[in-house]
Amino acid sequence: MPGGPPAAWAMVKDLLESIAAKAPDGEPCVALLGPGGAGNAVKTVHNGCEYGVMQLIAETYHSIRRILGISTNEIGHIFESWQNTELSSYLVEITAIVLGHSDEDGEPLVERILDQAGAKGTGKWTVEMALSIGAPVPTIGAAVDARNISSTKEERVA
């Protein structure tokens, strides 16, 4: 997601296109996004959107597991089946894979992962940028709040 002057883009375009992820039609997933820090801003918003999607995935898993009582392995199969629908995405795909893994005792590995998320700031920055231009991003804001709450494990479980 580069930004900068077109002359600089011309110098690195072939290299970046050769290493970029490819769309289903074979086109590289990279382009000049504008002047200066435009690429950084787009990447920040992209990461903020991922915060929202990951929070939705976590809440979906939690609801299916705790409310419906479906096993982790079965939930993995549900997520896997979504790969053939409009819900198909990289994050749904890797969630299905992770939910299919067990530890050495046969317990779902995901149940051994600490329920405490860190943050580098991109979600918060996305919300701040959105607020500065009056654009509502409630899902991203809620995901940032959830990460902040999760980071205070000692207070949450007290």
Side-chain angles (χ1 to χ4, degrees):
M1 299 183 185
W9 170 245
M11 292 170 33
V12 297
K13 180 180 184 230
D14 291 340
L15 171 66
L16 293 179
E17 286 181 345
S18 73
I19 61 173
K22 304 296 188 270
D25 65 1
E27 286 295 310
C29 299
V30 64
L32 179 64
L33 299 176
N40 187 49
V42 170
K43 180 62 175 166
T44 297
V45 172
H46 166 87
N47 289 354
C49 292
E50 281 188 335
Y51 271 41
V53 172
M54 289 186 292
Q55 184 62 33
L56 291 170
I57 288 171
E59 290 180 21
T60 299
Y61 169 80
H62 179 79
S63 297
I64 295 171
R65 181 78 181 105
R66 303 292 181 229
I67 297 170
L68 300 178
I70 296 175
S71 74
T72 299
N73 192 44
E74 290 176 275
I75 298 170
H77 291 301
I78 292 169
F79 274 79
E80 185 178 1
S81 75
W82 290 344
Q83 283 302 101
N84 300 316
T85 73
E86 63 275 0
L87 298 175
S88 176
S89 72
Y90 175 70
L91 293 175
V92 169
E93 177 185 3
I94 62 173
T95 299
I97 292 168
V98 168
L99 294 177
H101 284 278
S102 299
D103 66 11
E104 61 279 352
D105 298 325
E107 293 297 315
L109 188 59
V110 73
E111 296 295 335
R112 299 238 187 236
I113 297 171
L114 182 63
D115 62 336
Q116 190 172 359
K120 294 181 181 174
T122 53
K124 182 183 105 180
W125 299 332
T126 301
V127 173
E128 288 173 347
M129 284 191 290
L131 288 170
S132 74
I133 62 171
V137 290
T139 302
I140 300 170
V144 171
D145 288 343
R147 281 187 177 221
N148 289 337
I149 291 167
S150 82
S151 72
T152 58
K153 173 110 177 149
E154 288 184 25
E155 290 87 351
R156 273 191 299 118
V157 297

